Amino acid sequence: MCQLLGLNSNLPTDICASFAGFRARGGRTDEHADGWGIAFFEDRGLRILNEPHPSCQSQLAEMVAAHPFQATNIVAHIRKATVGTVRLENTHPFSRRLWGRDWVFAHNGTLVDFVPRLEGDFRPRGCTDSERAFCWLMDGLQSRFGEVRPDFDTLFGWLREAAVTLSDFGVINFLLSDGELMLAHCSTRLSHVLRQAPFSRRVRLVDTDEDLDLGLGVDPATRCVVLTTVPLTHDEAWVGMPAGSLWGFRDGRVLATAPTVAGRVRQLAEACA
């Protein structure tokens, strides 16, 4: 299956160290060689970089791992294609605009026979089940709430119901962010870790066997949550999120959790579009 990486922080920070290990899984330490992408929210701005090539071989991905892009929300993805060809338009994260903000979505899993009727402003540009799911979510939010963004509790409740509906079609691990919130659904596998002061601990990356000083150059007031499909480091207190659970994060804190339904693996190899 594909893999997800996300960050939600109270202060702008970079994800260089985590992405260095994550990109190695795109064809070197794992099989996700069909494209990669990463989205950075900087205030109200959004920067997305992606390619339909293995991240482990990409000069652009190497630059991302080395350049300290500062952001409060980051969503990254490495792809193993099952639904949709290996093309730029099929790489994650996907983005759409709603309520005056950019929303970004990345998906891990496979949805079988998911061909929703889309009646609003959101249409897929590529041919993946993942982008169809994102457009369906955006379509549903616009249809249900119109031009007025709901409060967090209402939004979270609607998204929980939507995740349950999507789970009937297969596996729907996803990260969804509007630059303020990070909404994460664990269908089968997802973990997170909290990083905050005191940053005195050194850890080792699983994929590159490098040592990291988590506090090097970091504002001591920073509090961030890093989310990933499979933990990236040894010696950190990664929390495995229950299969069938929705999580909401803001400013590096858990805002809410709610039970959904664990992903249903259909008669198709469990992988990612």
Side-chain angles (χ1 to χ4, degrees), residues 11 25 35 59 66 99 106-107 116 124 141 150 174 204 215 232 247 250 254 256 262 267 271:
L11 295 175
R25 297 176 180 181
Q59 292 183 350
W99 301 321
H107 166 224
L141 286 169
F174 68 73
R204 177 161 291 199
L232 292 161
W247 296 65
R250 182 164 54 203
V254 178
Q267 296 303 311

Side-chain angles (χ1 to χ4, degrees), residues 23-227:
R23 70 178 283 259
R25 297 176 180 181
R28 181 177 300 141
T29 61
D30 218 322
E31 59 185 353
H32 316 95
D34 296 324
W36 69 277
I38 187 166
F40 301 90
F41 283 96
E42 301 176 28
D43 295 323
R44 297 294 290 267
L46 173 64
R47 175 188 285 114
I48 297 181
L49 304 171
N50 53 9
E51 292 180 307
H53 311 301
S55 57
C56 73
Q57 300 172 5
S58 167
Q59 292 183 350
L60 182 58
E62 184 178 9
M63 181 273 290
V64 171
H67 186 82
F69 290 108
Q70 298 290 299
T72 52
N73 281 274
I74 299 171
V75 175
H77 181 272
I78 48 176
R79 184 177 185 229
K80 178 185 176 184
T82 57
V83 181
T85 55
V86 179
R87 297 176 62 88
L88 181 63
E89 63 266 30
N90 290 331
T91 59
H92 311 217
F94 306 105
S95 68
R96 296 293 188 275
R97 194 162 181 83
L98 178 64
W99 301 321
R101 300 185 72 99
D102 291 306
W103 291 75
V104 163
F105 177 87
H107 166 224
N108 165 346
T110 300
L111 301 177
V112 180
D113 299 327
F114 181 69
V115 188
R117 184 175 181 179
L118 300 173
E119 299 179 338
D121 299 330
F122 305 100
R123 296 288 189 277
R125 297 163 188 159
C127 54
T128 64
D129 54 340
S130 306
E131 192 181 18
R132 286 196 297 272
F134 181 37
C135 289
W136 179 79
L137 288 170
M138 293 290 98
D139 205 31
L141 286 169
Q142 185 180 61
S143 175
R144 173 64 180 84
F145 301 110
E147 299 304 314
V148 179
R149 176 180 171 140
D151 61 42
F152 172 78
D153 290 340
T154 303
L155 174 68
F156 192 77
W158 184 91
L159 191 62
R160 189 199 71 81
E161 295 178 5
V164 170
T165 298
L166 288 169
S167 296
D168 191 48
F169 294 89
V171 175
I172 182 70
N173 301 294
F174 68 73
L175 298 178
L176 174 68
S177 179
D178 68 344
E180 176 188 354
L181 300 170
M182 179 69 71
L183 299 154
H185 184 246
C186 179
S187 183
T188 53
R189 184 165 59 169
L190 198 62
S191 296
H192 75 269
V193 67
L194 173 64
R195 293 176 178 170
Q196 62 181 354
F199 297 103
S200 58
R201 189 168 191 169
R202 296 185 67 86
V203 298
R204 177 161 291 199
L205 286 172
V206 170
D207 295 271
T208 64
D209 207 32
E210 296 175 83
D211 285 332
L212 302 178
D213 181 348
L214 295 177
L216 185 64
V218 177
D219 187 322
T222 300
R223 182 182 60 252
C224 70
V225 170
V226 177
L227 304 101

